[in-house]
Structure formats: structure tokens, C-alpha cells
mmCIF file of all heavy atoms in Angstrom:
data_model
loop_
_atom_site.group_PDB
_atom_site.id
_atom_site.type_symbol
_atom_site.label_atom_id
_atom_site.label_comp_id
_atom_site.label_asym_id
_atom_site.label_seq_id
_atom_site.Cartn_x
_atom_site.Cartn_y
_atom_site.Cartn_z
ATOM 1 N N PHE A 1 1.053 -7.567 -8.432
ATOM 2 C CA PHE A 1 0.352 -6.652 -7.531
ATOM 3 C C PHE A 1 -0.713 -5.881 -8.316
ATOM 4 O O PHE A 1 -0.506 -5.565 -9.502
ATOM 5 C CB PHE A 1 1.319 -5.638 -6.922
ATOM 6 C CG PHE A 1 2.269 -6.191 -5.889
ATOM 7 C CD1 PHE A 1 2.506 -7.552 -5.756
ATOM 8 C CD2 PHE A 1 2.942 -5.326 -5.038
ATOM 9 C CE1 PHE A 1 3.382 -8.050 -4.805
ATOM 10 C CE2 PHE A 1 3.829 -5.797 -4.077
ATOM 11 C CZ PHE A 1 4.049 -7.157 -3.970
ATOM 12 N N THR A 2 -1.798 -5.554 -7.633
ATOM 13 C CA THR A 2 -2.850 -4.741 -8.243
ATOM 14 C C THR A 2 -3.307 -3.686 -7.260
ATOM 15 O O THR A 2 -3.682 -4.011 -6.127
ATOM 16 C CB THR A 2 -4.050 -5.606 -8.654
ATOM 17 O OG1 THR A 2 -3.633 -6.622 -9.575
ATOM 18 C CG2 THR A 2 -5.117 -4.741 -9.320
ATOM 19 N N ILE A 3 -3.278 -2.434 -7.690
ATOM 20 C CA ILE A 3 -3.795 -1.334 -6.872
ATOM 21 C C ILE A 3 -5.193 -0.993 -7.356
ATOM 22 O O ILE A 3 -5.468 -1.015 -8.567
ATOM 23 C CB ILE A 3 -2.858 -0.100 -6.936
ATOM 24 C CG1 ILE A 3 -3.300 0.966 -5.935
ATOM 25 C CG2 ILE A 3 -2.762 0.458 -8.355
ATOM 26 C CD1 ILE A 3 -2.293 2.114 -5.780
ATOM 27 N N SER A 4 -6.071 -0.695 -6.413
ATOM 28 C CA SER A 4 -7.443 -0.332 -6.776
ATOM 29 C C SER A 4 -7.971 0.656 -5.748
ATOM 30 O O SER A 4 -7.381 0.837 -4.684
ATOM 31 C CB SER A 4 -8.331 -1.571 -6.856
ATOM 32 O OG SER A 4 -8.392 -2.227 -5.608
ATOM 33 N N ARG A 5 -9.083 1.267 -6.103
ATOM 34 C CA ARG A 5 -9.673 2.245 -5.199
ATOM 35 C C ARG A 5 -11.181 2.080 -5.176
ATOM 36 O O ARG A 5 -11.792 1.766 -6.205
ATOM 37 C CB ARG A 5 -9.292 3.669 -5.606
ATOM 38 C CG ARG A 5 -9.659 4.048 -7.019
ATOM 39 C CD ARG A 5 -8.940 5.308 -7.474
ATOM 40 N NE ARG A 5 -9.404 6.476 -6.749
ATOM 41 C CZ ARG A 5 -8.737 7.637 -6.717
ATOM 42 N NH1 ARG A 5 -7.595 7.762 -7.365
ATOM 43 N NH2 ARG A 5 -9.221 8.671 -6.050
ATOM 44 N N ASP A 6 -11.751 2.272 -3.995
ATOM 45 C CA ASP A 6 -13.202 2.278 -3.814
ATOM 46 C C ASP A 6 -13.551 3.671 -3.321
ATOM 47 O O ASP A 6 -13.412 3.971 -2.133
ATOM 48 C CB ASP A 6 -13.624 1.200 -2.821
ATOM 49 C CG ASP A 6 -15.128 1.084 -2.700
ATOM 50 O OD1 ASP A 6 -15.839 2.079 -2.942
ATOM 51 O OD2 ASP A 6 -15.607 -0.008 -2.342
ATOM 52 N N ASN A 7 -13.991 4.508 -4.238
ATOM 53 C CA ASN A 7 -14.245 5.906 -3.878
ATOM 54 C C ASN A 7 -15.355 6.042 -2.848
ATOM 55 O O ASN A 7 -15.310 6.925 -1.991
ATOM 56 C CB ASN A 7 -14.585 6.702 -5.134
ATOM 57 C CG ASN A 7 -13.410 6.785 -6.098
ATOM 58 O OD1 ASN A 7 -12.256 6.826 -5.692
ATOM 59 N ND2 ASN A 7 -13.714 6.798 -7.385
ATOM 60 N N ALA A 8 -16.338 5.182 -2.909
ATOM 61 C CA ALA A 8 -17.461 5.258 -1.965
ATOM 62 C C ALA A 8 -17.014 4.963 -0.534
ATOM 63 O O ALA A 8 -17.609 5.467 0.424
ATOM 64 C CB ALA A 8 -18.553 4.290 -2.380
ATOM 65 N N LYS A 9 -15.967 4.149 -0.402
ATOM 66 C CA LYS A 9 -15.466 3.782 0.925
ATOM 67 C C LYS A 9 -14.217 4.562 1.318
ATOM 68 O O LYS A 9 -13.636 4.298 2.368
ATOM 69 C CB LYS A 9 -15.169 2.283 0.970
ATOM 70 C CG LYS A 9 -16.396 1.409 0.815
ATOM 71 C CD LYS A 9 -16.029 -0.072 0.910
ATOM 72 C CE LYS A 9 -17.266 -0.955 0.809
ATOM 73 N NZ LYS A 9 -16.925 -2.398 0.907
ATOM 74 N N ASN A 10 -13.785 5.479 0.452
ATOM 75 C CA ASN A 10 -12.546 6.236 0.706
ATOM 76 C C ASN A 10 -11.384 5.302 1.029
ATOM 77 O O ASN A 10 -10.590 5.551 1.947
ATOM 78 C CB ASN A 10 -12.735 7.245 1.845
ATOM 79 C CG ASN A 10 -13.706 8.344 1.480
ATOM 80 O OD1 ASN A 10 -13.852 8.685 0.306
ATOM 81 N ND2 ASN A 10 -14.381 8.886 2.473
ATOM 82 N N THR A 11 -11.281 4.250 0.262
ATOM 83 C CA THR A 11 -10.310 3.198 0.541
ATOM 84 C C THR A 11 -9.524 2.849 -0.708
ATOM 85 O O THR A 11 -10.080 2.788 -1.814
ATOM 86 C CB THR A 11 -11.017 1.938 1.072
ATOM 87 O OG1 THR A 11 -11.736 2.272 2.253
ATOM 88 C CG2 THR A 11 -10.018 0.842 1.399
ATOM 89 N N VAL A 12 -8.240 2.609 -0.502
ATOM 90 C CA VAL A 12 -7.349 2.141 -1.567
ATOM 91 C C VAL A 12 -6.796 0.782 -1.136
ATOM 92 O O VAL A 12 -6.498 0.573 0.039
ATOM 93 C CB VAL A 12 -6.192 3.134 -1.801
ATOM 94 C CG1 VAL A 12 -5.265 2.630 -2.895
ATOM 95 C CG2 VAL A 12 -6.750 4.491 -2.175
ATOM 96 N N TYR A 13 -6.685 -0.114 -2.098
ATOM 97 C CA TYR A 13 -6.231 -1.474 -1.814
ATOM 98 C C TYR A 13 -4.945 -1.787 -2.592
ATOM 99 O O TYR A 13 -4.676 -1.207 -3.647
ATOM 100 C CB TYR A 13 -7.303 -2.483 -2.229
ATOM 101 C CG TYR A 13 -8.633 -2.285 -1.576
ATOM 102 C CD1 TYR A 13 -9.663 -1.620 -2.243
ATOM 103 C CD2 TYR A 13 -8.880 -2.760 -0.288
ATOM 104 C CE1 TYR A 13 -10.897 -1.429 -1.645
ATOM 105 C CE2 TYR A 13 -10.112 -2.575 0.312
ATOM 106 C CZ TYR A 13 -11.111 -1.903 -0.367
ATOM 107 O OH TYR A 13 -12.339 -1.725 0.230
ATOM 108 N N LEU A 14 -4.201 -2.719 -2.042
ATOM 109 C CA LEU A 14 -3.074 -3.286 -2.774
ATOM 110 C C LEU A 14 -3.162 -4.803 -2.635
ATOM 111 O O LEU A 14 -2.936 -5.342 -1.556
ATOM 112 C CB LEU A 14 -1.732 -2.785 -2.249
ATOM 113 C CG LEU A 14 -0.504 -3.268 -3.043
ATOM 114 C CD1 LEU A 14 -0.512 -2.654 -4.441
ATOM 115 C CD2 LEU A 14 0.793 -2.933 -2.317
ATOM 116 N N GLN A 15 -3.538 -5.458 -3.720
ATOM 117 C CA GLN A 15 -3.585 -6.910 -3.748
ATOM 118 C C GLN A 15 -2.222 -7.417 -4.180
ATOM 119 O O GLN A 15 -1.744 -7.061 -5.259
ATOM 120 C CB GLN A 15 -4.662 -7.394 -4.713
ATOM 121 C CG GLN A 15 -4.749 -8.906 -4.830
ATOM 122 C CD GLN A 15 -5.242 -9.568 -3.568
ATOM 123 O OE1 GLN A 15 -6.248 -9.158 -2.988
ATOM 124 N NE2 GLN A 15 -4.542 -10.608 -3.116
ATOM 125 N N MET A 16 -1.609 -8.234 -3.343
ATOM 126 C CA MET A 16 -0.261 -8.732 -3.613
ATOM 127 C C MET A 16 -0.291 -10.253 -3.707
ATOM 128 O O MET A 16 -0.865 -10.916 -2.847
ATOM 129 C CB MET A 16 0.700 -8.312 -2.485
ATOM 130 C CG MET A 16 0.692 -6.820 -2.201
ATOM 131 S SD MET A 16 1.899 -6.327 -0.966
ATOM 132 C CE MET A 16 1.210 -7.119 0.496
ATOM 133 N N SER A 17 0.322 -10.784 -4.727
ATOM 134 C CA SER A 17 0.386 -12.233 -4.885
ATOM 135 C C SER A 17 1.813 -12.643 -5.248
ATOM 136 O O SER A 17 2.640 -11.808 -5.604
ATOM 137 C CB SER A 17 -0.598 -12.708 -5.945
ATOM 138 O OG SER A 17 -0.291 -12.123 -7.200
ATOM 139 N N SER A 18 2.071 -13.933 -5.141
ATOM 140 C CA SER A 18 3.400 -14.494 -5.419
ATOM 141 C C SER A 18 4.488 -13.715 -4.679
ATOM 142 O O SER A 18 5.524 -13.350 -5.248
ATOM 143 C CB SER A 18 3.679 -14.485 -6.926
ATOM 144 O OG SER A 18 2.720 -15.239 -7.630
ATOM 145 N N LEU A 19 4.237 -13.485 -3.411
ATOM 146 C CA LEU A 19 5.157 -12.662 -2.622
ATOM 147 C C LEU A 19 6.508 -13.349 -2.426
ATOM 148 O O LEU A 19 6.589 -14.583 -2.336
ATOM 149 C CB LEU A 19 4.532 -12.334 -1.269
ATOM 150 C CG LEU A 19 3.477 -11.214 -1.323
ATOM 151 C CD1 LEU A 19 2.564 -11.274 -0.110
ATOM 152 C CD2 LEU A 19 4.160 -9.862 -1.423
ATOM 153 N N LYS A 20 7.544 -12.527 -2.353
ATOM 154 C CA LYS A 20 8.912 -12.998 -2.227
ATOM 155 C C LYS A 20 9.521 -12.529 -0.910
ATOM 156 O O LYS A 20 9.147 -11.464 -0.404
ATOM 157 C CB LYS A 20 9.754 -12.451 -3.385
ATOM 158 C CG LYS A 20 9.194 -12.759 -4.765
ATOM 159 C CD LYS A 20 9.969 -12.050 -5.846
ATOM 160 C CE LYS A 20 9.371 -12.317 -7.215
ATOM 161 N NZ LYS A 20 10.104 -11.607 -8.290
ATOM 162 N N PRO A 21 10.461 -13.263 -0.346
ATOM 163 C CA PRO A 21 11.064 -12.844 0.927
ATOM 164 C C PRO A 21 11.664 -11.436 0.878
ATOM 165 O O PRO A 21 11.605 -10.706 1.873
ATOM 166 C CB PRO A 21 12.148 -13.900 1.152
ATOM 167 C CG PRO A 21 11.632 -15.120 0.453
ATOM 168 C CD PRO A 21 10.927 -14.599 -0.762
ATOM 169 N N GLU A 22 12.204 -11.066 -0.266
ATOM 170 C CA GLU A 22 12.813 -9.738 -0.381
ATOM 171 C C GLU A 22 11.793 -8.610 -0.390
ATOM 172 O O GLU A 22 12.165 -7.431 -0.394
ATOM 173 C CB GLU A 22 13.697 -9.654 -1.629
ATOM 174 C CG GLU A 22 13.003 -9.982 -2.934
ATOM 175 C CD GLU A 22 13.168 -11.441 -3.334
ATOM 176 O OE1 GLU A 22 13.195 -12.321 -2.450
ATOM 177 O OE2 GLU A 22 13.273 -11.692 -4.565
ATOM 178 N N GLU A 23 10.512 -8.968 -0.400
ATOM 179 C CA GLU A 23 9.460 -7.950 -0.337
ATOM 180 C C GLU A 23 9.005 -7.695 1.095
ATOM 181 O O GLU A 23 8.036 -6.951 1.312
ATOM 182 C CB GLU A 23 8.301 -8.350 -1.243
ATOM 183 C CG GLU A 23 8.744 -8.336 -2.713
ATOM 184 C CD GLU A 23 7.693 -8.748 -3.687
ATOM 185 O OE1 GLU A 23 7.027 -9.786 -3.474
ATOM 186 O OE2 GLU A 23 7.545 -8.046 -4.711
ATOM 187 N N THR A 24 9.690 -8.289 2.037
ATOM 188 C CA THR A 24 9.453 -7.968 3.434
ATOM 189 C C THR A 24 9.788 -6.497 3.670
ATOM 190 O O THR A 24 10.886 -6.040 3.354
ATOM 191 C CB THR A 24 10.322 -8.859 4.331
ATOM 192 O OG1 THR A 24 9.876 -10.216 4.204
ATOM 193 C CG2 THR A 24 10.247 -8.420 5.777
ATOM 194 N N ALA A 25 8.799 -5.766 4.201
ATOM 195 C CA ALA A 25 8.970 -4.324 4.362
ATOM 196 C C ALA A 25 7.774 -3.764 5.115
ATOM 197 O O ALA A 25 6.767 -4.456 5.317
ATOM 198 C CB ALA A 25 9.087 -3.639 2.997
ATOM 199 N N VAL A 26 7.892 -2.502 5.486
ATOM 200 C CA VAL A 26 6.734 -1.760 5.947
ATOM 201 C C VAL A 26 6.116 -1.104 4.717
ATOM 202 O O VAL A 26 6.824 -0.435 3.947
ATOM 203 C CB VAL A 26 7.107 -0.701 6.998
ATOM 204 C CG1 VAL A 26 5.869 0.086 7.414
ATOM 205 C CG2 VAL A 26 7.745 -1.361 8.213
ATOM 206 N N TYR A 27 4.834 -1.319 4.529
ATOM 207 C CA TYR A 27 4.120 -0.771 3.377
ATOM 208 C C TYR A 27 3.316 0.444 3.827
ATOM 209 O O TYR A 27 2.562 0.373 4.809
ATOM 210 C CB TYR A 27 3.213 -1.831 2.768
ATOM 211 C CG TYR A 27 3.990 -2.852 1.958
ATOM 212 C CD1 TYR A 27 4.829 -3.767 2.586
ATOM 213 C CD2 TYR A 27 3.900 -2.896 0.565
ATOM 214 C CE1 TYR A 27 5.562 -4.685 1.852
ATOM 215 C CE2 TYR A 27 4.621 -3.817 -0.172
ATOM 216 C CZ TYR A 27 5.462 -4.707 0.479
ATOM 217 O OH TYR A 27 6.180 -5.608 -0.257
ATOM 218 N N TYR A 28 3.486 1.533 3.081
ATOM 219 C CA TYR A 28 2.861 2.806 3.431
ATOM 220 C C TYR A 28 1.869 3.249 2.361
ATOM 221 O O TYR A 28 2.163 3.177 1.154
ATOM 222 C CB TYR A 28 3.920 3.898 3.574
ATOM 223 C CG TYR A 28 4.889 3.694 4.704
ATOM 224 C CD1 TYR A 28 6.088 3.032 4.498
ATOM 225 C CD2 TYR A 28 4.609 4.186 5.977
ATOM 226 C CE1 TYR A 28 6.997 2.849 5.529
ATOM 227 C CE2 TYR A 28 5.507 4.009 7.016
ATOM 228 C CZ TYR A 28 6.701 3.342 6.785
ATOM 229 O OH TYR A 28 7.593 3.165 7.807
ATOM 230 N N CYS A 29 0.748 3.759 2.810
ATOM 231 C CA CYS A 29 -0.218 4.384 1.922
ATOM 232 C C CYS A 29 0.129 5.858 1.779
ATOM 233 O O CYS A 29 0.592 6.498 2.731
ATOM 234 C CB CYS A 29 -1.620 4.213 2.509
ATOM 235 S SG CYS A 29 -2.943 4.886 1.501
ATOM 236 N N ASN A 30 -0.098 6.407 0.592
ATOM 237 C CA ASN A 30 0.262 7.786 0.286
ATOM 238 C C ASN A 30 -0.850 8.437 -0.517
ATOM 239 O O ASN A 30 -1.395 7.829 -1.439
ATOM 240 C CB ASN A 30 1.570 7.777 -0.517
ATOM 241 C CG ASN A 30 1.910 9.104 -1.125
ATOM 242 O OD1 ASN A 30 1.793 9.305 -2.334
ATOM 243 N ND2 ASN A 30 2.348 10.038 -0.302
ATOM 244 N N ALA A 31 -1.183 9.671 -0.137
ATOM 245 C CA ALA A 31 -2.179 10.449 -0.857
ATOM 246 C C ALA A 31 -1.546 11.778 -1.261
ATOM 247 O O ALA A 31 -0.832 12.382 -0.468
ATOM 248 C CB ALA A 31 -3.400 10.690 0.022
ATOM 249 N N ARG A 32 -1.823 12.225 -2.478
ATOM 250 C CA ARG A 32 -1.146 13.401 -3.014
ATOM 251 C C ARG A 32 -2.135 14.423 -3.547
ATOM 252 O O ARG A 32 -3.000 14.123 -4.354
ATOM 253 C CB ARG A 32 -0.242 12.994 -4.186
ATOM 254 C CG ARG A 32 0.711 11.872 -3.873
ATOM 255 C CD ARG A 32 1.375 11.397 -5.128
ATOM 256 N NE ARG A 32 2.368 10.362 -4.867
ATOM 257 C CZ ARG A 32 3.214 9.918 -5.776
ATOM 258 N NH1 ARG A 32 3.211 10.417 -6.991
ATOM 259 N NH2 ARG A 32 4.075 8.976 -5.469
ATOM 260 N N VAL A 33 -1.966 15.653 -3.048
ATOM 261 C CA VAL A 33 -2.616 16.791 -3.679
ATOM 262 C C VAL A 33 -1.733 17.978 -3.354
ATOM 263 O O VAL A 33 -1.980 18.739 -2.442
ATOM 264 C CB VAL A 33 -4.071 16.969 -3.183
ATOM 265 C CG1 VAL A 33 -4.152 17.116 -1.674
ATOM 266 C CG2 VAL A 33 -4.751 18.119 -3.904
ATOM 267 N N GLY A 34 -0.629 18.086 -4.121
ATOM 268 C CA GLY A 34 0.406 19.045 -3.760
ATOM 269 C C GLY A 34 1.220 18.449 -2.628
ATOM 270 O O GLY A 34 2.328 17.961 -2.811
ATOM 271 N N THR A 35 0.668 18.469 -1.459
ATOM 272 C CA THR A 35 1.290 17.850 -0.280
ATOM 273 C C THR A 35 1.129 16.331 -0.336
ATOM 274 O O THR A 35 0.138 15.820 -0.846
ATOM 275 C CB THR A 35 0.616 18.385 0.992
ATOM 276 O OG1 THR A 35 0.774 19.805 1.038
ATOM 277 C CG2 THR A 35 1.223 17.767 2.240
ATOM 278 N N TYR A 36 2.127 15.648 0.219
ATOM 279 C CA TYR A 36 2.052 14.203 0.362
ATOM 280 C C TYR A 36 1.575 13.881 1.778
ATOM 281 O O TYR A 36 2.119 14.386 2.757
ATOM 282 C CB TYR A 36 3.423 13.558 0.144
ATOM 283 C CG TYR A 36 3.832 13.354 -1.290
ATOM 284 C CD1 TYR A 36 3.435 14.234 -2.293
ATOM 285 C CD2 TYR A 36 4.620 12.267 -1.668
ATOM 286 C CE1 TYR A 36 3.801 14.041 -3.610
ATOM 287 C CE2 TYR A 36 4.999 12.063 -2.983
ATOM 288 C CZ TYR A 36 4.600 12.954 -3.945
ATOM 289 O OH TYR A 36 4.978 12.762 -5.253
ATOM 290 N N TYR A 37 0.598 13.012 1.879
ATOM 291 C CA TYR A 37 0.115 12.527 3.170
ATOM 292 C C TYR A 37 0.460 11.050 3.290
ATOM 293 O O TYR A 37 0.363 10.302 2.303
ATOM 294 C CB TYR A 37 -1.401 12.729 3.292
ATOM 295 C CG TYR A 37 -1.829 14.167 3.245
ATOM 296 C CD1 TYR A 37 -2.234 14.741 2.034
ATOM 297 C CD2 TYR A 37 -1.839 14.952 4.384
ATOM 298 C CE1 TYR A 37 -2.633 16.071 1.979
ATOM 299 C CE2 TYR A 37 -2.236 16.280 4.341
ATOM 300 C CZ TYR A 37 -2.627 16.836 3.134
ATOM 301 O OH TYR A 37 -3.018 18.147 3.073
ATOM 302 N N TRP A 38 0.823 10.635 4.515
ATOM 303 C CA TRP A 38 1.268 9.266 4.737
ATOM 304 C C TRP A 38 0.498 8.611 5.870
ATOM 305 O O TRP A 38 0.133 9.259 6.849
ATOM 306 C CB TRP A 38 2.754 9.255 5.102
ATOM 307 C CG TRP A 38 3.655 9.761 4.021
ATOM 308 C CD1 TRP A 38 4.110 11.037 3.872
ATOM 309 C CD2 TRP A 38 4.198 8.992 2.940
ATOM 310 N NE1 TRP A 38 4.911 11.113 2.758
ATOM 311 C CE2 TRP A 38 4.985 9.883 2.160
ATOM 312 C CE3 TRP A 38 4.103 7.669 2.545
ATOM 313 C CZ2 TRP A 38 5.671 9.474 1.012
ATOM 314 C CZ3 TRP A 38 4.786 7.264 1.412
ATOM 315 C CH2 TRP A 38 5.558 8.156 0.655
ATOM 316 N N GLY A 39 0.335 7.304 5.744
ATOM 317 C CA GLY A 39 -0.155 6.517 6.857
ATOM 318 C C GLY A 39 1.009 6.091 7.735
ATOM 319 O O GLY A 39 2.175 6.412 7.472
ATOM 320 N N GLN A 40 0.683 5.318 8.765
ATOM 321 C CA GLN A 40 1.702 4.884 9.727
ATOM 322 C C GLN A 40 2.431 3.628 9.267
ATOM 323 O O GLN A 40 3.469 3.271 9.826
ATOM 324 C CB GLN A 40 1.061 4.630 11.100
ATOM 325 C CG GLN A 40 0.397 3.275 11.273
ATOM 326 C CD GLN A 40 -0.901 3.122 10.490
ATOM 327 O OE1 GLN A 40 -1.441 4.089 9.954
ATOM 328 N NE2 GLN A 40 -1.405 1.892 10.410
ATOM 329 N N GLY A 41 1.900 2.975 8.253
ATOM 330 C CA GLY A 41 2.534 1.783 7.702
ATOM 331 C C GLY A 41 1.997 0.497 8.295
ATOM 332 O O GLY A 41 1.482 0.477 9.417
ATOM 333 N N THR A 42 2.115 -0.565 7.515
ATOM 334 C CA THR A 42 1.753 -1.891 7.978
ATOM 335 C C THR A 42 2.865 -2.856 7.577
ATOM 336 O O THR A 42 3.357 -2.808 6.451
ATOM 337 C CB THR A 42 0.376 -2.317 7.398
ATOM 338 O OG1 THR A 42 -0.004 -3.576 7.972
ATOM 339 C CG2 THR A 42 0.386 -2.441 5.886
ATOM 340 N N GLN A 43 3.246 -3.708 8.509
ATOM 341 C CA GLN A 43 4.377 -4.607 8.287
ATOM 342 C C GLN A 43 3.940 -5.820 7.476
ATOM 343 O O GLN A 43 2.950 -6.482 7.812
ATOM 344 C CB GLN A 43 4.960 -5.079 9.617
ATOM 345 C CG GLN A 43 6.086 -6.098 9.500
ATOM 346 C CD GLN A 43 7.369 -5.509 8.952
ATOM 347 O OE1 GLN A 43 7.788 -4.420 9.370
ATOM 348 N NE2 GLN A 43 7.996 -6.198 8.010
ATOM 349 N N VAL A 44 4.698 -6.111 6.436
ATOM 350 C CA VAL A 44 4.513 -7.333 5.655
ATOM 351 C C VAL A 44 5.797 -8.141 5.769
ATOM 352 O O VAL A 44 6.885 -7.639 5.444
ATOM 353 C CB VAL A 44 4.208 -7.023 4.180
ATOM 354 C CG1 VAL A 44 4.211 -8.323 3.353
ATOM 355 C CG2 VAL A 44 2.869 -6.311 4.053
ATOM 356 N N THR A 45 5.673 -9.365 6.250
ATOM 357 C CA THR A 45 6.826 -10.255 6.392
ATOM 358 C C THR A 45 6.591 -11.499 5.558
ATOM 359 O O THR A 45 5.580 -12.190 5.752
ATOM 360 C CB THR A 45 7.059 -10.635 7.857
ATOM 361 O OG1 THR A 45 7.253 -9.450 8.636
ATOM 362 C CG2 THR A 45 8.279 -11.529 7.993
ATOM 363 N N VAL A 46 7.498 -11.747 4.622
ATOM 364 C CA VAL A 46 7.388 -12.914 3.749
ATOM 365 C C VAL A 46 8.489 -13.887 4.166
ATOM 366 O O VAL A 46 9.675 -13.659 3.928
ATOM 367 C CB VAL A 46 7.533 -12.523 2.274
ATOM 368 C CG1 VAL A 46 7.281 -13.750 1.391
ATOM 369 C CG2 VAL A 46 6.585 -11.396 1.916
ATOM 370 N N SER A 47 8.067 -14.973 4.790
ATOM 371 C CA SER A 47 9.036 -15.920 5.342
ATOM 372 C C SER A 47 8.394 -17.276 5.547
ATOM 373 O O SER A 47 7.194 -17.367 5.838
ATOM 374 C CB SER A 47 9.573 -15.398 6.674
ATOM 375 O OG SER A 47 10.437 -16.343 7.288
#
């Protein structure tokens, strides 16, 4: 996996490769500045 950020686009990425079935989950983005902020999540299903 590789995490990266594009500051100009206010976007963070997670590149995932060689995915495994046990990595099936809801993936959440998180931003921190004292308080933690969360997204609604996106489902990843490896099957």
C-alpha cells in the first residue's frame, strides 16, 4: 500500500495492490488537527 497527498487538490490517496480477502473492509479517511475528522467510508471487497 502507498499513501500520498495532493495538496493542490486537497486529496489523499491510498494505492493498494496485492489485495487479500482478509482486507475486505470499509476504508475510512481521517484528518487530524487535535480533533479527528472522518469520512463516511468506502467499501472494499476482495473476493
